[in-house]
Amino acid sequence: MSHSTPVTEGEQNSSGPPHHFGLVFAALMAAMLLASLDQTIVSTALPTIVGELHGVSHLAWVTTAYILAATIAMPVYGRLGDLIGRKSLFLGGIAVFLVGSVIAGAAQDMTWLIVGRAVQGLGGGGLMITSQAIIADLVPPRQRAKYMAPMGAVFGLSSVAGPLLGGWFTDGPGWRWAFWINLPVGVLALAIGTFALRLPRRAAEVVFDYLGFALMAAAVTCTVLLAEWGGTDYAWSDPVILAMAAGGLLAWVLFFYSQSRAPEPIIPLRLFHSRIFNIATLIGLLVIGIGMFAVIGYLPTYLQMVYGVSATESGLLLIPLVVGLMATAIPSGQLMSKSGRYKIFPIVGTILVGVAALLMSTLDTGTSLVVVGVYVFVLGAGLGLVMQPLVLAVQNDFPGSDVGTATSANNFFREIGATLGTAAVGSLFTHRLTDQLAARLGGTGAGPVGDTQSLTPALVHSLPEKVQNEVILAYQQALTPVFRYLVPVFVLGLVLALLLPEKKLSDGHGEGDADDSGISPVPAPGAEAAAPSGP
């Protein structure tokens, strides 16, 4: 096993951030914004992109390539950051992301565009992890809360701003600017990181877990493609999907077995000795992975079809989500810094998310857009109380030598949950929509509607009023009950939030003191075994 010895580069403040932290924090926020924005920025530009590059059959890969590469990269950046230090990985992640942006922006065919998106993902996944872990290097947990909250808000903002910017670039200077815009922001973040960022350096002889990486990549690929293709490109009973499911299950089993034997595993199994890590990760997977992405993924389509708003307007109608998220994330971060306590926030946040889902299940064709906005605001307020407290709780439960690994693993499983959750909701919505359209339009798809698989908002609102009303009702009846089906998921999330152990946030960069419940930190590599984190 390799051993790492911290060599501090510059003096670190044990009670708060260093004096130059404001500039560094701006660079970290910019990096997080770039990485999260590029998950969604191409969504509204895709019809134009695939038309210009003649690649309709490869449309899904423009998004899938980024998500797949980013998800695979997350644990690698997290583990390597703990072993060799994070500054070089952060700067390298920006550089890789910018190279991918250049390839995608200059692409003359779909192959190069997809390659560029994959390269972007390899850099972007690292930026999401290293940005959060660098905060942990520079700021003690108790003060960290007020800096992590804006990062969560940026993540929510990018989910809404991405489609809006993609549409604006497509309608204005051209879709390639969705990639070119990354260059000035990325170069600025790179320059600040190079000259202002001072982090502990770790002298380590790293034995990289190539077998674990290959198995993880295979497992993630099978899982993501199963979620993307199942029920859409292929029937769930298709041999391709069954083979993907079997291959993914086998790869996951072999991956976790390999992690128990690797000298330096990518996701050390000791992470799962921590009740805080296990419960916080499950809450994030359920509440954020499913709750946030299910709504953001399908509510815009509902708004366009039922209310007749444009694609840009449907994106603007999600702004209340960002407002709600920021309205709770930033004050809760301040309160966590003052009190050192975090447990109450995921509890209240999960309740609000569940209430929002229940409220959205009552939407009908006569509900005003103002009411929709209020419901979306409640959802954002709940997410703002859940997102960063969970990451902070996980970081606070581990020593500095494992903080990047724990952060990346937490994000990694949340991303897997988001992929599977969005696919499950999408499959359920599509199945219900097909049944509703068949029942309301006579089951033939003929007549003024034409092919029900090719309905667009413009086509729907050009139909005769009677037929139009039937299609609108089909969309309303297909989606709103799905929100009600999600409520039990959030109830489970609430139970987990109530069970989440609370360790008071530490004032120093060390492992922290056990709280009055006797919760102990998980040992670093090579340290003597400690009691599992739990009562």
Side-chain angles (χ1 to χ4, degrees), residues 276-359:
I276 290 177
F277 174 83
N278 292 335
I279 294 176
T281 299
L282 282 172
I283 296 170
L285 188 152
L286 293 171
V287 178
I288 302 170
I290 296 176
M292 178 176 174
F293 288 99
V295 173
I296 290 175
Y298 298 99
L299 190 59
T301 298
Y302 177 84
L303 292 171
Q304 291 176 50
M305 289 295 191
V306 174
Y307 291 91
V309 301
S310 68
T312 301
E313 288 169 339
S314 69
L316 290 171
L317 288 168
L318 289 180
I319 287 178
L321 183 139
V322 180
V323 175
L325 198 153
M326 296 183 73
T328 56
I330 295 174
S332 65
Q334 298 287 341
L335 288 172
M336 282 188 284
S337 291
K338 288 180 181 179
S339 68
R341 299 288 182 178
Y342 54 78
K343 181 172 180 174
I344 186 63
F345 300 108
I347 293 173
V348 175
T350 303
I351 292 172
L352 288 176
V353 171
V355 168
L358 201 56
L359 290 171

Side-chain angles (χ1 to χ4, degrees), residues 189-259:
L190 190 65
I192 294 172
T194 301
F195 296 105
L197 188 57
R198 297 289 182 268
L199 294 173
R201 292 177 298 179
R202 294 176 171 86
E205 295 178 6
V206 179
V207 180
F208 186 71
D209 182 13
Y210 290 103
L211 175 61
F213 175 75
L215 290 170
M216 181 193 68
V220 171
T221 300
C222 288
T223 302
V224 171
L225 294 183
L226 178 70
E228 293 283 342
W229 290 350
T232 52
D233 296 61
Y234 300 93
W236 287 108
S237 58
D238 191 280
V240 172
I241 295 300
L242 295 177
M244 201 74 69
L249 181 61
L250 178 62
W252 280 118
V253 170
L254 292 176
F255 168 67
F256 282 112
Y257 176 72
S258 76
Q259 298 304 277

Side-chain angles (χ1 to χ4, degrees), residues 22-92:
L23 191 61
V24 171
F25 184 63
L28 296 178
M29 291 278 281
M32 175 69 94
L33 179 63
L34 288 176
S36 54
L37 198 65
D38 269 64
Q39 290 186 97
T40 57
I41 197 168
V42 299
S43 58
T44 44
L46 273 178
T48 302
I49 292 174
V50 298
E52 188 174 316
L53 299 183
H54 312 292
V56 174
S57 60
H58 302 296
L59 180 147
W61 276 102
V62 179
T63 301
T64 302
Y66 185 93
I67 294 173
L68 189 60
T71 305
I72 291 171
M74 283 179 180
V76 177
Y77 277 89
R79 190 68 191 130
L80 286 179
D82 286 339
L83 294 172
I84 65 174
R86 271 176 268 282
K87 179 173 179 176
S88 59
L89 287 176
F90 176 67
L91 299 178

Side-chain angles (χ1 to χ4, degrees), residues 273-276 341-342 396-397 500-504 511-523 530-535:
H273 297 163
S274 163
R275 287 185 63 222
I276 290 177
R341 299 288 182 178
Y342 54 78
N396 187 58
D397 198 42
L500 179 67
E502 183 170 47
K503 181 197 292 187
K504 193 167 184 179
E511 296 183 12
D513 302 322
D515 72 353
D516 52 12
S517 299
I519 300 169
S520 304
V522 175
S533 180

